Amino acid sequence: MLSERRLQVLRAIVQDYVGTEEPVGSKALTERHNLGVSPATVRNDMAALEDEGFIAQPHTSAGRIPTDKGYRLFVDKLAGVKPMTPPERRAIQNFLDGAVDLDDVVARTVRLLAQLTRQVAVVQYPSLTRSTVRHVELLSLAPARLMLVLITDTGRVEQRMVDCPAPFGESSLADLRARLNSRVAGRRFTDVPGLVEDLPEAFEAEDRGTVSTVLSTLLETLVEENEERLMIGGTANLTRFGHDFPLTIRPVLEALEEQVVLLKLLGEAGDSGMTVRIGHENAYEGLNSTSVVSVGYGSGGEAVAKLGVVGPTRMDYPGTMGAVRAVARYVGQILAES
Amino acid sequence: MLSERRLQVLRAIVQDYVGTEEPVGSKALTERHNLGVSPATVRNDMAALEDEGFIAQPHTSAGRIPTDKGYRLFVDKLAGVKPMTPPERRAIQNFLDGAVDLDDVVARTVRLLAQLTRQVAVVQYPSLTRSTVRHVELLSLAPARLMLVLITDTGRVEQRMVDCPAPFGESSLADLRARLNSRVAGRRFTDVPGLVEDLPEAFEAEDRGTVSTVLSTLLETLVEENEERLMIGGTANLTRFGHDFPLTIRPVLEALEEQVVLLKLLGEAGDSGMTVRIGHENAYEGLNSTSVVSVGYGSGGEAVAKLGVVGPTRMDYPGTMGAVRAVARYVGQILAES
DNA sequence: CCTGGCACTCTTCGCACGCGAGTGCCAGAC
DNA sequence: GTCTGGCACTCGCGTGCGAAGAGTGCCAGG
């Protein structure tokens, strides 16, 4: 077990390293933090910390830098979450209050997070899993060509082309439209598949193919709509990553382009409370030299989506966590109001 | 005026520099391109080209690299557009054919362009300004509440809520829907106002208020929802920019985050034909070390939006232009089909 | 107008060297 | 036991220098 002072030494190392970006030595430590002991003592502590794998030296005769394990301990035990100052809070609220619609809320949130943390921000759109169908519209564009329009209670509209296997009469169309709406209007997305399953049976044989096609397109649309989208911003902050640029930054940019990767990343984070994934704790190896701080947010008590930031493992964890938490909180408020 | 051979020398310099990323000297030139003259002669030509400002040397006793002016001449006079090979064409078509909706078309286009050119791709969503109305749909959500759905020929769908001043019967609704569509379907946005002006007169007094409301909402949608959006991709290709990383890449990333900047950038490009903006020709100074190749695309003969790529001034212009043109062409086809 | 030759200029690279930061260890003090 | 001061040792980093090499500009001759 590590003594109290050794933990303090680790904390000091993390803080200094985050500030200076340079390996920190025993002498500098005793000068900048009054630990009340001499450099020699600190050296012993450092040796112990290194044995335990919390810190490492890039090369002999250099100072120490924290390892992922060191950051982990720091985040878990040694550092709190730095609360935002009142002016910061006001700024956040003012900025988010100006949003006009959902897209705008998300866009502003991304900007805000990126600015506050000076890192890359990722914001997931509020999930639609609980949304319902308001209306389904079918329009005939050509004899064997329909357009399917889906309107959700969140005001979102999705449309799809449907190529019919056979011409579909106007009366059949009206019939299908009416039956479809009476079954699914007001229902949750997840319930729809079961509700329309037997619909083709109500139609003439010649129309069944088309009906099935329409239905499967509808189901596809629902699934896709349900699919999470996200927005990222602040990529310019990647330039502050480190000196060994190209190699570090490239896989990160690639990861950021793969929304699937990011969604999985956010998805893996715990549902409640803030999650910090440090370096190799990230499953995606392109992000092995980054840390991801994420948290759920939502309109009610429930989290409907996540947001977070991606930055170098050498980041200001307390500050970042404070900003992420505060932003999530205010976004939740905004969503609840609208 | 520059002699024919000097132009050839310039062309060779550009080609070699693009390939090697290193200043090219007189000797290497004569070896790799059989110009039929000796290095000494080439040196004289180079001196002349340098006097005219087409090439420059990073430092004395280094080879020459093209200046922006040199690239300009190269693009205008010395290089053609390299056509895609048949297999490439097929690949493009196949890839784009898989798209399910407009968002998907745009997303795929971005990926495709980024992959083909190995640069940053920018695709603007089809604009509504020059498109035509395919269909207007009116849905009754509540007795005095309608939803107006506008479908454009580019596959874009916009929707609006309409609060009616008075309840609006189902038959009136059908009537309005029919009249509206017969007047505006297939017409350009800009023509719509004149076409629907007198529509309220055809209705009973009690419905006129609602009809007017619907019409003004429609006109609003046509005008206001002309908001331009765009999608970017391939930012990971920025890592191939050069050796002097952070300084070059940072402003580019910043520019890419500012959609306004990008839209202006694309907007400034000529409406017809391909536009190449090289280095300092770009108004936005963050992009002074990049070139932008853009072209309009559209469903018919007319361009409804632009797409393009952003890359280092040292890029393969013929290849890039070929890819951009080909992609624009196929996207246009896809849009026309759907 | 082209060509070969030549002198000149710079950059780059390798290498040796010294400095300084930082470490590990040990003997002694509290 | 724990902390401290001292000391020898290790390396990385910056500097200076010299050689090598690439490339140029210019000139005289074909």
Side-chain angles (χ1 to χ4, degrees), chain A residues 199-259:
Chain A
L199 210 48
E201 293 162 25
F203 287 79
E204 304 289 334
E206 56 180 13
D207 285 342
R208 273 185 209 152
T210 296
V211 172
S212 301
T213 310
V214 169
L215 290 182
S216 58
T217 306
L218 173 63
L219 298 187
E220 251 174 48
T221 311
L222 289 176
V223 171
E224 209 166 296
E225 171 72 350
N226 212 351
E227 196 174 86
E228 316 283 8
R229 295 174 50 210
L230 44 76
M231 189 174 257
I232 69 174
T235 48
N237 290 325
L238 286 174
T239 53
R240 304 185 315 114
F241 241 60
H243 333 68
D244 50 346
F245 249 68
L247 292 176
T248 325
I249 213 180
R250 162 141 231 181
V252 179
L253 274 173
E254 275 165 2
L256 292 177
E257 291 223 342
E258 288 299 330
Q259 305 226 330

Side-chain angles (χ1 to χ4, degrees), chain B residues 219-258:
Chain B
L219 298 186
E220 253 174 50
T221 310
L222 292 178
V223 177
E224 279 175 23
E225 274 304 310
N226 156 30
E227 149 209 327
E228 316 275 14
R229 295 172 51 208
L230 44 77
M231 189 173 259
I232 69 174
T235 48
N237 290 325
L238 286 175
T239 53
R240 303 184 315 113
F241 242 58
H243 332 69
D244 50 345
F245 249 70
L247 292 176
T248 325
I249 213 182
R250 162 142 231 181
V252 179
L253 275 173
E254 276 165 2
L256 292 177
E257 292 224 340
E258 289 299 331

Side-chain angles (χ1 to χ4, degrees), chain B residues 21-37:
Chain B
E21 302 195 24
E22 269 165 21
V24 17
S26 54
K27 188 156 167 245
L29 261 198
T30 54
E31 280 166 6
R32 306 184 34 155
H33 308 257
N34 45 354
L35 299 168
V37 293

Side-chain angles (χ1 to χ4, degrees), chain B residues 115-233:
Chain B
Q115 243 176 300
L116 284 173
T117 63
R118 304 201 42 171
Q119 277 153 194
V120 179
V122 181
V123 178
Q124 186 181 10
Y125 276 74
S127 147
L128 299 184
T129 38
R130 279 188 230 103
S131 32
T132 59
V133 176
R134 174 177 279 157
H135 189 88
V136 176
E137 185 60 29
L138 286 170
L139 311 173
S140 181
L141 301 178
R145 186 133 209 224
L146 302 179
M147 171 171 273
L148 173 74
V149 180
L150 169 73
I151 303 166
T152 77
D153 64 337
T154 52
R156 195 150 153 185
V157 177
E158 294 292 330
Q159 88 288 358
R160 277 287 193 291
M161 291 303 169
V162 185
D163 282 311
C164 313
F168 199 59
E170 194 56 51
S171 63
S172 305
L173 186 68
D175 192 17
L176 176 57
R177 182 189 295 137
R179 285 175 189 270
L180 206 48
N181 274 296
S182 73
R183 294 205 185 191
V184 304
R187 305 323 271 295
R188 292 176 151 228
F189 285 12
T190 42
D191 300 336
V192 170
L195 293 165
V196 299
E197 215 169 7
D198 59 343
L199 209 49
E201 293 162 24
F203 287 80
E204 303 289 333
E206 55 181 13
D207 283 343
R208 274 187 207 149
T210 295
V211 171
S212 301
T213 311
V214 168
L215 291 181
S216 59
T217 305
L218 173 62
L219 298 186
E220 253 174 50
T221 310
L222 292 178
V223 177
E224 279 175 23
E225 274 304 310
N226 156 30
E227 149 209 327
E228 316 275 14
R229 295 172 51 208
L230 44 77
M231 189 173 259
I232 69 174

Side-chain angles (χ1 to χ4, degrees), chain B residues 130 265-277 294-296 303 305-306:
Chain B
R130 279 188 230 103
L265 202 69
L266 291 180
E268 280 167 2
D271 261 341
S272 64
M274 195 150 22
T275 304
V276 180
R277 299 209 154 233
S294 58
V295 68
K306 309 237 174 84

